[in-house]
Amino acid sequence: MNLRDEIETTLRSWHAYETGRGAVSVIDFDCAPTIEAIAPATSRLAVYQRLTDLHAQAAEAGADRLTARLTADLAYLGALLGEHPPLNDYVQATQGCPAAGWQDGYITHRGDQARQALAALGIGWGPDTARDLTGVEGPIETDEAPDAIRQAAADYETAVRQITGSTAPFNLTIEATEVDAYWSYWLDGAGNKVRLRLNLRRASFTKVAARQFALHEVLGHGLQGASWSARAAAEEVPWVRLMSVHAPQQVLLEGLAQALPLFVAPDDELLATRTKFDHYTQLVRAELHVALNQGASIAELADHARFRMPWTTDAAIADVLTDRGANPQLRSYLWAYPAGIDWFANLAEADSTTRTTVLQAAYRDPLTPTDLAALWPAGPTIGGQGT
């Protein structure tokens, strides 16, 4: 068994241990599914010791991709075991980029772009912005959402395959669930089997949201996972074939998925407005993420959130802060959203050759922030340049 396979065996046993005790999954997309029975690990500490040994082997062998993945696994597992390192150190180890944040002027600039796009739709900037935007986007009933998402995915599939070069097949299943969690939509899967869950406790459905999440979840995450799986089945790949949200491919996944409308449907005014609005919102959440971990008071954070996003509610602010505080998974993973959407929104404004190079590479390999920066050296610093 080679080193990569040993790592995968360890991750599978860790995953079996966590899911067997009702804890959060370790593996979110399996690009090399197996029918072999997996024996659960005996404890988190046993997994930590084994990952430490494998990390030393990977570092000695100069296997940078494997070393980076193991660094992320060890940092996340260490947090599960009680470690609470500084945010920047933790995000750098897990997501592969700094948690530097963005300057006030840049966030304001992105807010102005969102404000102008909203104004063109007749939507003001204030307490009713989110509600009014939802109204313009065309609300639909919950039971209509799966068909609307499937139809939108079918409408966009050819365009996405053209710009990414992917020919991988995938099979989509859509399920409804009710979970007390931050997410409205969640995609996981194995090989070419993709599952999209709609969290009815959180999700609201509009015609625009159906188009957005067909791109984000189905043709973003789903087709990417299936594409990586197809390559892994056809040839020996140098990366761990088990995707986890605490690992450094997540900036690519969340970034491109959120920004994909800018590449596929740039003339869709409603979809572009939603993407600009989300970009700004993610940058504000990043401000809160950093400030919370730097010791700002809850009152200060809540006031800042209300100032930046006058449409937000106290319940939404509370969830944003809770998710980014002590939760080991979300403290890492939620940074992928602002870091990713900002880089890919900027990429959408780059020359066509650069865009094509990055998008096709992104559907071939699970790229890390270091990989993305190498493909576009002139691009912005992933994770921000500091406040």
Side-chain angles (χ1 to χ4, degrees), residues 337-349:
Y337 286 86
I341 193 173
D342 186 68
W343 195 83
F344 277 97
N346 279 281
L347 178 68
E349 301 169 358

Side-chain angles (χ1 to χ4, degrees), residues 237-303:
V237 294
W239 33 266
V240 171
R241 299 169 296 177
L242 308 175
M243 303 302 137
S244 303
V245 297
H246 66 262
Q249 84 293 324
Q250 205 61 33
V251 169
L252 160 64
L253 280 167
E254 300 302 349
L256 181 52
Q258 291 176 97
L260 200 50
L262 303 178
F263 298 92
V264 177
D267 297 328
D268 185 328
E269 184 179 14
L270 288 172
L271 196 51
T273 299
R274 170 57 69 175
T275 304
K276 292 175 183 178
F277 184 70
D278 288 351
H279 184 183
Y280 171 70
T281 300
Q282 291 294 355
L283 293 177
V284 175
R285 289 174 179 169
E287 281 188 300
L288 299 173
H289 200 151
V290 171
L292 174 66
N293 281 271
Q294 290 179 341
S297 72
I298 297 302
E300 291 171 329
L301 294 166
D303 285 344

Side-chain angles (χ1 to χ4, degrees), residues 136-212:
V136 170
E137 289 180 343
I140 60 176
E141 296 298 325
T142 299
D143 59 2
E144 298 175 4
D147 286 343
I149 292 171
R150 285 184 183 278
Q151 183 59 55
D155 292 342
Y156 288 128
E157 183 174 351
T158 298
V160 172
R161 289 187 183 279
Q162 285 177 342
I163 65 172
T164 64
S166 176
T167 58
F170 69 94
N171 296 304
L172 174 66
T173 300
I174 300 180
E175 300 176 0
T177 187
E178 292 196 38
V179 181
D180 184 14
Y182 78 95
W183 55 270
S184 301
Y185 309 81
W186 189 276
L187 187 134
D188 55 17
N192 65 3
K193 295 180 175 60
V194 175
R195 178 180 67 161
L196 172 61
R197 284 180 287 168
L198 308 179
N199 186 3
L200 302 184
R201 189 173 299 190
R202 288 279 187 174
S204 60
F205 301 96
T206 67
K207 294 176 182 178
V208 173
R211 301 200 295 275
Q212 180 184 27

Side-chain angles (χ1 to χ4, degrees), residues 201-240:
R201 189 173 299 190
R202 288 279 187 174
S204 60
F205 301 96
T206 67
K207 294 176 182 178
V208 173
R211 301 200 295 275
Q212 180 184 27
F213 285 99
L215 288 168
H216 184 129
E217 303 288 355
V218 180
L219 299 173
H221 297 339
L223 182 56
Q224 266 187 303
S227 299
W228 299 339
S229 298
R231 186 184 170 208
E235 59 185 282
E236 194 70 10
V237 294
W239 33 266
V240 171

